[in-house]
Amino acid sequence: MADDTNPGIHVYKSPTCGCCEGWVDHLKANGFNVEVTDTNSLNRIKAEAGLTPALASCHTAFIGDYVIEGHVPARDIRRLIAESPQARGLSAPGMPVGSPGMEMGNRKDHYKIMLFNSAGQSRVFSEYN
């Protein structure tokens, strides 16, 4: 059951994507109540969510009124909820190695989490590695 300590998040992903499953496991391990929908219509979901190609990644999730695109760490999602900025959501563009669900041994690429609005404008929300 979703509540303030275990917020509900709905993830849309490809039925065959292992890294998406890794991200879902990361969310569950960090106290999120996760609902998963496997779909082959991710492009439609991304377009309806207002995501630009520059913000796109492999899976799209919704928590409250926010969109979460890609391998965004759970702590950034919790910070987004706590701060409640006027924004459409967060994105980890592409599939950065070392992000949750994209672990590859000790390799950790530098990546940014982007806060974006409905007009497609974005700014850095956090940086890793």
Side-chain angles (χ1 to χ4, degrees):
M1 185 167 149
D3 59 34
D4 285 346
T5 56
N6 299 303
I9 187 166
H10 191 156
V11 179
Y12 292 85
K13 66 173 200 60
S14 165
T16 59
C17 186
C19 69
C20 296
E21 284 296 331
W23 186 68
V24 167
D25 291 344
H26 166 75
L27 294 179
K28 289 177 180 176
N30 282 277
F32 285 85
N33 181 349
V34 184
E35 178 182 352
V36 176
T37 299
D38 287 332
T39 181
N40 291 313
S41 300
L42 282 169
N43 287 337
R44 179 184 54 79
I45 291 166
K46 292 176 189 311
E48 290 173 1
L51 289 158
T52 64
L55 294 170
S57 185
C58 57
H59 51 266
T60 304
F62 299 90
I63 185 165
D65 292 331
Y66 293 115
V67 177
I68 307 298
E69 178 70 2
H71 297 268
V72 176
R75 67 177 155 210
D76 288 321
I77 299 170
R78 289 198 181 277
R79 180 179 151 209
L80 176 74
I81 294 165
E83 293 178 4
S84 296
Q86 290 285 21
R88 185 69 184 113
L90 294 176
S91 171
M95 296 172 66
V97 173
S99 61
M102 285 295 298
E103 294 88 356
M104 292 185 181
N106 290 328
R107 182 175 161 197
K108 295 188 183 304
D109 292 349
H110 180 265
Y111 67 99
K112 297 175 182 177
I113 303 302
M114 305 303 293
L115 180 74
F116 65 95
N117 65 18
S118 296
Q121 299 167 317
S122 63
R123 68 169 176 82
V124 175
F125 188 76
S126 60
E127 290 189 61
Y128 291 90
N129 308 324

